[in-house]
Amino acid sequence: MTASPQGRPGHGLTVALFATCINDTMFPGTPRATVEVLERLGCTVVFPREQTCCGQIFTNTGYFDEAVPSVRTYVKAFGGYDYIVGPSGSCVGAVRDQHPILAQRSGDAGLQREVAQVAPRTLDVSEFIVDVLGVTDVGAYFPHRVTYHPTCHSLRVVKVGDRPYTLLSKVRGLELVELPDARQCCGFGGTFSLKNADVSVAMAADKARNVASTGAEYLVAGDNSCLMNIGGVLSRQNAAVKPIHLIEILAHTEGN
Amino acid sequence: MTTERLTPAPPPGELIDSPRFPVAARRELGNAQQRRNLHHATRTIRDKRAQAVGEMDNWQELRAAGGAIKSRVLRHLPEYLEQLEASLTRNGATVHWAGDAAEANRIVIDLVQQTGSTEVVKVKSMATQEIELNEALEESGIAAWETDLAELIVQLGHDRPSHILVPAIHRNRSEVRDIFLAEMGNYGTPPPPGLDDDPVNLADAARGHLREKFLRARVAVSGANFAIADTGSLVVVESEGNGRMCLTLPETLISVVGIEKVLPSFEDLEVFMQLLPRSSTAERMNPYTSIWSGASEGDGPQNVHVVLIDNGRTKALADPQGRTALRCIRCSACLNICPVFEKVGGHAYGSVYPGPIGAILNPQIRGTDSAVDRSLPFASTLCGACTEVCPVMIPIADLLVHMRSKVVDAKKAENTGVHLPHAEPAMMKAGAWVMADHRRLEAAQLATKTSGKVLGHFTDHIGALPWPLSKWANARDTANPPTQTFRDWWKANRAQEEQK
Ligand code: SF4
């Protein structure tokens, strides 16, 4: 983009990046792409180092008390920021939906107040770009055939709606093909994939079959955990489709 | 023991002793025919429901109204129940209260025996399935005949229902034909010889078989979809007309109704008669709706009884979050939309209430003592499709998580007692310690980075992993962990700028 710094939509906005523990450790390219896109749009990005995890691995396994320390760490890391942005529907959803419940469980009124402030300021990166920056064309170029899986928590907890489709539709060179049975869960479900491994694999196999049927080169989603699930099955089947996070497509520009 | 049974025997064993969900699910996944049947049936009904609901521009308002009426009922349940009892009594019905299944069964058996009859015809009813009334009647020498087509298929097939609304959803029509040919003649009018699997002919065979029972029966047993407090009316919603036969022909009518079925006023039906048919059978209007208010002289059953059952419902009521599950109107939309149910069917849930609603309801009304009830809240990916379709806005996905915490709290309590320690709490505790402080997370990441570096010399993906991760790796490739975390990258590329 060639606009002067002042002319860019994110000018003057400071964004605290919520990398999420799984991206930080296993998929560092995703938060890096988030930094790249947000900076390209003029935002100042900071990474509060105290951050760890949204706690959903504990919460969703039923360990509420064990999730509370993650909530405390989260409000400590992100308190005071107006915009907290993460590249994960699932983790953002856990913060917005579950942190209030966990804070209540802790019985700590101070924590409840902090969560009431911090949790609603946490946005999925697609929400931030479209709603706060008012941008749908981020200047990306990705000359490939892709299909999009709307991950369950992006769809039903964070409710990102058609924002990802809108963002993808503005990417130059990109051909978006419809995924059959798109809204069906891929079978990941965190510890579900271990506790109910057989059902999980049966569901992932359905999703992988639908993805392969599109003939797309890339499978796009807003959550790396689901991509890891579907991608793992696709790779085992030697399918040529490569999983990629939405923000990594948006980070691609011509000549890059 | 060679005592001759009156009705077809269900499979042996008690539902509460069912294996844990993962074990039962694996068993069901192995049934390829059932998987095809379920795949086809759930897709068909999902699409139809989406269409029926899509026609209504006030659907979300209706759902909100349905949820609000039901939660008001649950907040003031004692008052509405007293009002219901008074109205029913005024209308000439006799009201009985049953604390649990055994008490409810005893009441029904006594009532049937007082009539001198040794058989009853039944309207499809979840409450009587829940208390396993048919078997209790059988043991007392009373034959209970299911008259709903699908329930008949299940009964004749020595089977258990696998779905709330479509109890034989796991069967296809050629299996139905085989069951009719093998069993119908043993329990009454046989099917016409040479019966094929044309649905019209199958329905005809059932009609012929049931006709004799309708005309002979002097006692009917039903449930109720709604019990109206102000008018003292019961409502049964069905699509075949078999219910109408049972509710009008016999002299004695005994209805077993869960206490949460009460609605404050007759006007509330306006909301529910829109929500229920579209959510369950995807019909705009329900085909047969029977409403009766006690006994009316010279018209229908003269001996009208209502057995109101608790059977664990007050336990659910005591939990302000958990009680929202009692709003359920048993429409089955959550079952049909559920990707887990679609794979395994209803039998994996070890209860007459399968699917997402079963996963949150059973551990509340039956408790979390049994292996199956402990496993049910985990029988979901938390994808939330159920929450989206529920016509009374039960936050099913949130309740699944809530019930998981209750199971875990129970497990933790056991860890301090005589039980063997569970491994999971220790793992979760260690994880919590790591996530409480970023320095601990960074230390843990060192191990991942090292394994990424080491593995990188040999392969580009992880093939095998130790248990429990082996369950993951058996079917999926996993890329090697990266050798640089995001934090490291940030420190190397951005942190200095921040200092400036
Ligand atoms: S929980 Fe909701 S969707 Fe499921 S059966 Fe009950 S009313 Fe229907």
Side-chain angles (χ1 to χ4, degrees):
Chain A
M1 284 191 142
T2 49
S4 67
Q6 287 77 8
R8 289 184 293 175
H11 179 72
L13 294 185
T14 297
V15 177
L17 174 66
F18 170 36
T20 82
C21 67
I22 177 166
N23 284 327
D24 179 8
T25 313
M26 297 292 291
F27 305 100
T30 300
R32 278 170 60 175
T34 312
V35 174
E36 215 170 297
V37 173
L38 294 180
E39 286 181 346
R40 196 201 302 151
L41 294 172
C43 302
T44 304
V45 181
V46 296
F47 175 75
R49 195 177 163 195
E50 297 78 22
Q51 67 181 279
T52 58
C53 164
C54 67
Q56 68 167 308
I57 176 98
F58 309 110
T59 319
N60 288 346
T61 316
Y63 290 79
F64 284 15
D65 295 331
E66 285 73 4
V68 172
S70 295
V71 180
R72 290 191 194 283
T73 313
Y74 189 86
V75 294
K76 204 165 101 198
F78 291 107
Y81 291 106
D82 290 336
Y83 300 107
I84 305 150
V85 174
S88 164
S90 196
C91 305
V92 166
V95 170
R96 291 215 300 240
D97 250 43
Q98 297 181 333
H99 280 198
I101 298 166
L102 296 166
Q104 201 172 0
R105 164 105 171 189
S106 75
D108 178 342
L111 184 62
Q112 287 164 22
R113 268 195 306 276
E114 288 176 285
V115 166
Q117 299 232 311
V118 178
R121 294 181 188 164
T122 305
L123 302 177
D124 179 66
V125 65
S126 67
E127 294 178 296
F128 180 77
I129 294 173
V130 175
D131 300 356
V132 179
L133 300 184
V135 173
T136 53
D137 183 350
V138 301
Y141 171 74
F142 195 73
H144 299 282
R145 186 179 166 93
V146 310
T147 192
Y148 175 75
H149 168 55
T151 61
C152 301
H153 291 179
S154 301
L155 191 67
R156 302 194 185 93
V157 180
V158 173
K159 301 192 166 73
V160 296
D162 56 10
R163 293 177 186 88
Y165 292 101
T166 311
L167 289 165
L168 285 171
S169 72
K170 298 287 167 66
V171 174
R172 269 165 282 286
L174 182 141
E175 183 198 352
L176 182 62
V177 287
E178 202 187 317
L179 175 64
D181 229 352
R183 294 165 60 96
Q184 180 103 336
C185 176
C186 74
F188 174 61
T191 47
F192 177 85
S193 61
L194 303 178
K195 285 181 188 281
N196 283 287
D198 304 277
V199 187
S200 175
V201 170
M203 292 166 69
D206 276 7
K207 183 59 79 179
R209 192 174 325 109
N210 281 323
V211 170
S213 80
T214 62
E217 297 162 72
Y218 288 91
L219 166 67
V220 195
D223 261 301
N224 278 325
S225 41
C226 308
L227 284 174
M228 181 172 68
N229 180 41
I230 312 165
V233 174
L234 285 166
S235 159
R236 181 62 56 92
Q237 295 170 348
N238 290 319
V241 198
K242 293 176 282 290
I244 186 169
H245 193 287
L246 171 67
I247 196 70
E248 294 182 34
I249 289 187
L250 300 184
H252 269 265
T253 50
E254 211 142 358
N256 262 312
Chain B
M1 276 231 323
T2 50
T3 36
E4 193 78 7
R5 282 186 57 103
L6 305 167
T7 59
E14 303 288 329
L15 277 173
I16 193 82
D17 298 329
S18 300
R20 294 185 310 116
F21 182 84
V23 176
R26 195 177 314 134
R27 178 192 71 210
E28 299 298 320
L29 276 172
N31 185 341
Q33 178 66 55
Q34 172 174 282
R35 266 172 81 166
R36 277 192 297 273
N37 296 351
L38 284 167
H39 186 89
H40 175 74
T42 51
R43 300 302 149 129
T44 311
I45 186 75
R46 272 180 211 173
D47 292 349
K48 283 196 192 162
R49 179 206 156 270
Q51 210 181 339
V53 163
E55 292 174 354
M56 307 283 284
D57 42 17
N58 63 344
W59 185 250
Q60 297 309 330
E61 284 84 355
L62 276 171
R63 288 177 77 213
I69 294 168
K70 281 284 186 178
S71 57
R72 175 153 49 93
V73 165
L74 296 172
R75 272 201 312 278
H76 306 288
L77 193 56
E79 290 85 348
Y80 286 124
L81 285 172
E82 278 170 24
Q83 192 191 358
L84 176 69
E85 181 182 34
S87 311
L88 282 167
T89 309
R90 195 176 52 236
N91 294 342
T94 310
V95 176
H96 310 260
W97 298 89
D100 59 16
E103 204 179 337
N105 287 332
R106 188 71 253 156
I107 292 168
V108 177
I109 291 165
D110 286 347
L111 288 171
V112 178
Q113 284 173 340
Q114 279 161 28
T115 68
S117 182
T118 55
E119 67 172 356
V120 301
V121 282
K122 283 191 69 202
V123 186
K124 178 168 168 23
S125 134
M126 291 312 299
T128 62
Q129 292 279 8
E130 175 189 325
I131 62 173
E132 295 176 338
L133 175 66
N134 290 9
E135 280 310 286
L137 288 170
E138 170 85 34
E139 280 163 27
S140 304
I142 300 161
W145 304 116
E146 295 292 348
T147 67
D148 170 84
L149 177 55
E151 291 284 4
L152 176 70
I153 296 164
V154 167
Q155 187 177 34
L156 288 175
H158 300 268
D159 205 353
R160 288 193 205 279
S162 72
H163 189 279
I164 293 174
L165 190 81
V166 205
I169 193 170
H170 57 293
R171 298 284 194 197
N172 66 15
R173 55 194 191 171
S174 79
E175 292 174 283
V176 172
R177 183 196 68 135
D178 295 346
I179 291 169
F180 280 7
L181 285 174
E183 298 284 346
M184 244 180 194
N186 298 334
Y187 301 97
T189 310
L195 176 68
D196 61 15
D197 66 0
D198 183 330
V200 174
N201 297 335
L202 292 174
D204 257 353
R207 195 174 282 136
H209 178 78
L210 291 170
R211 182 72 32 165
E212 174 200 16
K213 293 189 161 65
F214 286 135
L215 295 176
R216 194 175 65 206
R218 289 188 288 122
V219 182
V221 173
S222 82
N225 293 89
F226 308 104
I228 314 292
D230 65 352
T231 57
S233 317
L234 295 191
V235 184
V236 161
V237 177
E238 43 116 7
S239 355
E240 295 170 13
N242 65 303
R244 178 71 52 85
M245 300 287 265
C246 296
L247 297 168
T248 50
L249 291 177
E251 294 135 36
T252 299
L253 173 58
I254 305 164
S255 305
V256 181
V257 184
I259 51 173
E260 83 285 16
K261 294 282 155 211
V262 60
L263 288 182
S265 108
F266 199 82
E267 284 164 21
D268 297 323
L269 281 180
E270 177 198 339
V271 171
F272 292 97
M273 291 312 293
Q274 294 185 75
L275 287 174
L276 181 52
R278 285 181 197 259
S279 299
S280 56
T281 48
E283 280 162 315
R284 295 186 175 126
M285 192 181 156
N286 180 63
Y288 291 89
T289 304
S290 301
I291 306 178
W292 69 103
S293 310
S296 15
E297 222 181 297
D299 182 13
Q302 296 302 298
N303 193 9
V304 176
H305 294 270
V306 180
V307 184
L308 292 168
I309 62 164
D310 177 348
N311 206 33
R313 286 160 176 75
T314 47
K315 274 191 279 176
L317 198 64
D319 176 350
Q321 268 165 287
R323 77 161 62 139
T324 53
L326 295 177
R327 291 182 197 164
C328 176
I329 56 173
R330 312 277 188 259
C331 74
S332 301
C334 61
L335 279 62
N336 298 331
I337 203 81
C338 178
V340 175
F341 180 91
E342 172 201 318
K343 287 279 169 247
V344 301
H347 289 150
Y349 295 78
S351 162
V352 300
Y353 301 115
I357 180 61
I360 56 173
L361 191 62
N362 293 309
Q364 297 201 69
I365 63 179
R366 302 199 300 201
T368 53
D369 290 336
S370 73
V372 63
D373 285 321
R374 282 189 176 198
S375 69
L376 288 179
F378 297 89
S380 164
T381 61
L382 304 178
C383 80
C386 47
T387 306
E388 215 171 39
V389 297
C390 178
V392 284
M393 291 186 133
I394 301 174
I396 303 176
D398 292 349
L399 281 190
L400 284 162
V401 175
H402 176 68
M403 291 312 298
R404 289 176 185 191
S405 79
K406 292 199 136 185
V407 169
V408 165
D409 290 348
K411 268 197 198 172
K412 284 185 188 165
E414 285 169 9
N415 258 356
T416 60
V418 291
H419 292 73
L420 281 174
H422 300 282
E424 198 178 74
M427 280 162 59
M428 288 294 164
K429 214 170 154 186
W433 183 81
V434 170
M435 292 307 179
D437 189 323
H438 68 100
R439 282 162 299 200
R440 295 175 196 154
L441 172 62
E442 286 157 17
Q445 284 173 334
L446 266 178
T448 333
K449 285 184 283 188
T450 312
S451 68
K453 281 185 192 132
V454 175
L455 285 165
H457 294 302
F458 304 105
T459 171
D460 61 351
H461 68 264
I462 303 170
L465 286 168
W467 187 91
L469 296 177
S470 56
K471 295 182 170 190
W472 167 274
N474 285 344
R476 308 170 182 88
D477 291 339
T478 311
N480 287 344
T483 51
Q484 186 190 39
T485 63
F486 173 74
R487 265 168 219 272
D488 294 339
W489 177 85
W490 181 270
K491 209 165 152 191
N493 294 279
R494 288 292 192 284
Q496 296 88 338
E497 291 172 37
E498 265 178 30
Q499 305 301 317
K500 281 185 237 158

